[in-house]
Amino acid sequence: MLNVNVLENYDSIDVNTYRCKIPPIQLLNFEVAPVLDLQVSPASECCTVELLSCKFEGSEIVESQNKYFSATMKNLITWDKTGSESFLDVDVKLNIALEIYNQPFKLLPVSTVEAPGNIVLQALLDRFVPLLLQQLLQDYDAWVTQQQRFLP
């Protein structure tokens, strides 16, 4: 359920928990490499991917933002069959909070900082969600093909 093709690397923390490092992203003059701890909970007709933690690696100033940042994410993936058509349904809930604490950002109206932040986050989602869905469809198609081999 993890699209390892878009990750720089990942390590298994335990049976269903993984530490995933996303390739570095350039933001303004900073390089940021998000590190996510994800728990994958598969079931017979669905799978939940939950964000346990998110931290940033990079320069000292980037890493100092970790104490002012929090994120939650729950991704529910279900699969079903209607007639002869199989389908996936993906529902992602993502919440992000970032405290603005340093100059010059603290002097600006929140909307001045919030708007570019939303654009950056939307760009990240636009980049990674299609890759995740593409990988899910490929994996699901391979699974369906494998299941059909066992049918009489």
Side-chain angles (χ1 to χ4, degrees):
M1 297 310 303
L2 294 177
N3 187 351
V4 296
N5 296 326
V6 299
L7 301 175
E8 184 171 290
N9 64 44
Y10 69 99
D11 295 307
S12 179
I13 296 173
D14 65 29
V15 174
N16 290 330
T17 307
Y18 303 89
R19 178 156 295 136
C20 305
K21 186 171 182 181
I22 296 174
I25 302 160
Q26 293 291 332
L27 297 174
L28 304 172
N29 288 329
F30 300 101
E31 185 175 271
V32 178
V35 178
L36 314 172
D37 287 352
L38 300 172
Q39 183 175 38
V40 179
S41 303
S44 63
E45 304 221 351
C46 68
C47 181
T48 303
V49 179
E50 190 169 356
L51 177 66
L52 302 177
S53 75
C54 177
K55 299 293 179 204
F56 301 115
E57 291 183 352
S59 67
E60 185 178 327
I61 199 163
V62 166
E63 291 186 12
S64 71
Q65 296 301 308
N66 285 325
K67 59 186 167 191
Y68 302 101
F69 173 83
S70 66
T72 60
M73 187 259 320
K74 194 166 196 172
N75 183 358
L76 177 64
I77 304 156
T78 57
W79 43 88
D80 205 348
K81 192 172 190 176
T82 303
S84 64
E85 292 293 315
S86 298
F87 63 91
L88 290 174
D89 184 41
V90 180
D91 182 22
V92 179
K93 291 182 179 21
L94 175 66
N95 295 305
I96 296 175
L98 177 63
E99 181 183 340
I100 302 168
Y101 75 97
N102 57 352
Q103 306 289 353
F105 302 112
K106 193 172 180 179
L107 301 173
L108 298 171
V110 171
S111 62
T112 306
V113 177
E114 191 174 57
N118 287 339
I119 290 169
V120 168
L121 288 173
Q122 188 63 53
L124 286 172
L125 289 173
D126 290 347
R127 177 179 170 195
F128 289 114
V129 169
L131 292 171
L132 169 67
L133 293 176
Q134 178 185 6
Q135 187 66 45
L136 280 173
L137 288 172
Q138 289 173 354
D139 291 348
Y140 184 69
D141 186 50
W143 178 80
V144 167
T145 302
Q146 182 183 20
Q147 296 301 310
Q148 290 174 342
R149 288 185 203 150
F150 296 113
L151 294 176

